[in-house]
């Protein structure tokens, strides 16, 4: 009895807190989905409803037929996809060079890049805007893509991963007379697969969720990404709660599914990034 | 003396590095330097059309900023967000990590995934969701509080509640990220330490105080630093939820920079604000590193 009591109460408190936390964490997401399926006006009832009286997809239909949401979805997917593909290629080459080659100035250069991580991105934004304006890239897809094509964090992640891979593999390939680019392409990249998947998820999600830079660069509404379109929609349709929730669901859902499917890689990436401290 | 093989290796390395370094130099380092220069000029909408109108004004932008009540409001709001929101977020993350990692917890993976979900959501989308949750009449939050007998609060409309509301939302959105890092840190602590402590009769709190906290030290520093740097840059939450209001009580430094730079095109002035933010982040980083060094010596 005594022993039972001693483990019963801590377990009760533990699960009480865990379930309380679960409710706090998931309720906003649950309500977002529920409200998006409610008939117009039902999300503004007293007391608030957590479940639609009848399930309707009219707000989703309205978003696609009247408000061009397909266009924004496509823009977001296109931009996030392009940034991911290009930056993966460029960052992996640089990470490989830092991990597996010896050359003068390598370590100070790498340290310098890492040190630059304390500079907030916003500091660069004003001149970057002027620079891209000179190149004629403002209000184009490339204006969003170009600044994301290389990232210090991406280089760091690849380098950390490659440091753990023995040089002997690469040396063997060199002995066989393989060219450097061939070694990178058909040996290093396949070896890096797990970390490339991780970095791809990070980059894709980062680009998909990014708000400030697309907001600055894209002025033509036909180029808007989902977050920019959503913030813009809020101005006109703040009263249409159910429709705004449908828009939020469509913005959040793709990245959330991506995470749920690939979370093993995502979590591994946070660990690798967090261990440098 | 380098031999041929080494020279070849160095050459290959630079070929692999060039695209990344070039991009980072042109689209990051160059703009950062340019921002510094820009902050000493009166770059405005006229200069945007005709560069001949650009004039060097020394420290004028900085002086104007420091004399502007609005800028001090933005500084105050940002510090409010960092000093209250940062530690709160780290504390919630640590609490969640301890719960998920507890020996008694079944299905830790399930709880971990659930707590992490808000992190992967789109900030703008969930800020929109929270705007409705905070609605004084129809919002779920006030309804929940009314069940506990608490009077409705106009979360985003009341100048005193708007910033706490934004902090609450930010903590909800972010805590899962640091939780993962804390879980990794907790799992690195050898279990034998706890066994030895239990044999010595140490209670749960004593174990936490004398084993968990000290051994989490480096993780703690990393998490605190990253959180602080991120929180200083708060932008989308007030942009979507309050537009800086009510009465400028949620206007952050980055929001001010955005408004000045990209709405009114006062780019010199906005660059100076961006640089002050950078200096604040740098000072905060150095301060935390110093405090940590003193604590460990």
């Amino acid at each position: 009895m005594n022993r039972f009591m001693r483990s019963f109460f801590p377990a009760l408190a533990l699960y009480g807190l865990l379930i309380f936390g679960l409710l706090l964490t998931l309720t906003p997401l649950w309500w977002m989905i529920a409200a998006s399926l409610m008939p117009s006006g039902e999300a503004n009832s007293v007391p608030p409803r957590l479940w639609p009286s009848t399930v309707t997809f009219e707000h989703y239909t309205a978003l696609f037929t009247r408000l061009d949401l397909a266009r924004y979805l496509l823009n977001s997917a296109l931009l996030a996809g392009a940034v991911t593909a290009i930056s993966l290629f460029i960052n992996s080459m640089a990470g490989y060079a830092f991990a597996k080659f010896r050359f003068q100035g390598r370590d100070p250069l790498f340290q310098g890049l890492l040190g630059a991580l304390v500079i907030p991105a916003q500091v660069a934004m004003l001149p970057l805007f002027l620079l891209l304006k000179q190149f004629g890239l403002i209000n184009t897809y490339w204006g969003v893509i170009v600044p994301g094509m290389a990232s210090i964090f991406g280089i760091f992640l690849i380098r950390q991963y490659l440091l753990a891979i023995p040089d002997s593999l690469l040396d063997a390939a060199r002995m066989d007379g393989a060219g450097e680019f061939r070694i990178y392409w058909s040996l290093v990249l396949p070896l890096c697969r797990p970390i490339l998947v991780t970095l791809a998820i990070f980059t894709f999600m980062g680009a998909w969720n990014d708000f400030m830079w697309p907001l600055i660069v894209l002025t033509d509404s036909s180029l808007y990404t989902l977050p920019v379109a959503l913030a813009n929609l809020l101005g006109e349709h703040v009263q249409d709660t159910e429709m705004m929730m449908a828009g939020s669901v469509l913005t959040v859902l793709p990245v959330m599914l991506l995470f749920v499917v690939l979370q093993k890689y995502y979590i591994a990436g946070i660990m690798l990034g967090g261990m440098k401290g | 003396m380098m031999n041929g093989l080494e020279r070849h290796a160095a050459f290959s390395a630079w070929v692999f590095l060039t695209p990344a370094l070039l991009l980072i130099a042109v689209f990051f380092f160059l703009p950062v330097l340019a921002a510094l220069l820009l902050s000493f000029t009166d770059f405005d909408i006229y200069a945007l059309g005709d560069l001949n109108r650009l004039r060097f004004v020394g420290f004028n932008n900085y002086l104007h900023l420091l004399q502007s009540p609005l800028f001090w409001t933005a500084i105050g709001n940002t510090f409010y967000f960092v000093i209250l929101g940062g530690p709160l977020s780290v504390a919630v993350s640590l609490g969640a990590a301890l719960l998920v990692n507890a020996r008694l917890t079944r299905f830790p993976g399930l709880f971990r995934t659930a707590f992490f979900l808000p992190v992967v959501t789109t900030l703008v989308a969930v800020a929109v969701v929270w705007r409705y949750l905070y609605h004084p009449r129809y919002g779920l939050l006030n309804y929940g509080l009314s069940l506990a007998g608490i009077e409705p609060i106009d979360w985003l409309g009341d100048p005193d509640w708007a910033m706490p509301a934004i902090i609450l939302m930010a903590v909800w959105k972010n805590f899962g990220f640091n939780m993962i890092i804390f879980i990794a840190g907790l799992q690195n602590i050898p279990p034998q330490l706890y066994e030895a402590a239990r044999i010595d009769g140490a209670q749960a709190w004593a174990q936490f105080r004398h084993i968990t906290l000290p051994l989490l030290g480096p993780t703690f520093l990393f998490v605190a630093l990253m959180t602080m740097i991120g929180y200083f840059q708060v932008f989308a939450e007030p942009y979507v939820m309050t537009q800086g209001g009510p009465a400028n009580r949620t206007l952050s430094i980055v929001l001010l920079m955005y408004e000045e730079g990209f709405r009114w095109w006062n780019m010199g002035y906005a660059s100076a604000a961006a640089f002050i933010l950078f200096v604040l982040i740098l000072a905060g980083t150095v301060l935390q590193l110093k405090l940590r060094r003193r604590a460990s010596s």
Side-chain angles (χ1 to χ4, degrees), chain A residues 15 25 122 127 209 238 263 271, chain B residues 31 106 113 122 132 172 184 233:
Chain A
Y15 279 100
T25 311
Q122 291 90 346
N209 292 339
V238 72
Q263 63 164 312
M271 307 285 199
Chain B
R106 303 274 300 272
T113 305
T122 310
Y132 293 107
W172 171 84
Q233 302 173 34

Side-chain angles (χ1 to χ4, degrees), chain A residues 4-106:
Chain A
F4 169 74
M5 295 293 271
R6 239 191 341 209
S7 68
F8 179 72
F9 283 109
L12 192 70
L14 180 74
Y15 279 100
L17 284 170
L18 276 170
I19 287 165
F20 181 65
L22 210 58
L23 283 176
L24 285 185
T25 311
L26 296 182
T27 304
L29 298 173
W30 171 262
W31 184 79
M32 168 182 77
I33 297 169
S36 77
L37 299 170
M38 289 175 187
S40 289
E42 201 171 277
N44 293 343
S45 41
V46 185
R49 299 185 60 100
L50 281 169
W51 190 264
S53 60
T54 44
V55 171
T56 168
F57 288 92
E58 60 178 299
H59 311 294
Y60 290 92
T61 327
L63 283 172
F64 279 106
T65 51
R66 293 210 321 262
L67 291 163
D68 230 7
L69 202 96
R71 172 102 220 180
Y72 308 135
L73 254 171
L74 200 70
N75 287 340
S76 273
L78 191 79
L79 286 174
V83 168
T84 306
I86 298 173
S87 76
L88 230 53
F89 177 58
I90 289 173
N91 290 336
S92 63
M93 285 200 296
Y96 169 49
F98 275 124
K100 291 294 170 208
F101 287 93
R102 248 184 252 171
F103 56 91
Q104 230 180 359
R106 181 187 68 177

Side-chain angles (χ1 to χ4, degrees), chain A residues 113-222:
Chain A
L113 283 178
L114 280 191
L117 282 174
V118 295
I119 306 175
Q122 291 90 346
V123 173
M125 278 182 184
L126 294 148
L128 190 57
F129 177 87
L130 297 174
L131 184 71
L132 294 184
K133 192 165 165 285
Q134 284 298 309
F135 292 161
L137 295 180
I138 294 302
N139 202 22
T140 68
Y141 288 138
W142 284 107
V144 178
I145 297 171
V146 163
M149 290 200 306
S151 90
I152 298 173
F153 176 73
I155 296 172
F156 168 79
L157 218 55
I158 302 271
R159 172 188 176 267
Q160 293 308 91
Y161 188 83
L162 274 173
L163 282 180
I165 284 178
D167 291 347
S168 51
L169 274 171
L170 307 178
D171 290 337
R174 268 187 204 108
M175 292 298 183
D176 291 344
E180 288 296 341
F181 190 79
R182 232 190 91 87
I183 294 178
Y184 157 77
W185 189 257
S186 44
L187 188 64
V188 174
L189 280 190
L191 279 173
C192 283
R193 224 182 76 96
I195 197 68
L196 288 177
V197 176
T198 300
L199 191 55
I201 310 169
F202 270 129
T203 313
F204 189 87
M205 284 187 181
W208 182 280
N209 292 339
D210 193 16
F211 177 58
M212 194 172 175
W213 186 244
L215 177 74
I216 291 168
V217 172
L218 305 172
T219 48
D220 197 340
S221 71
S222 68

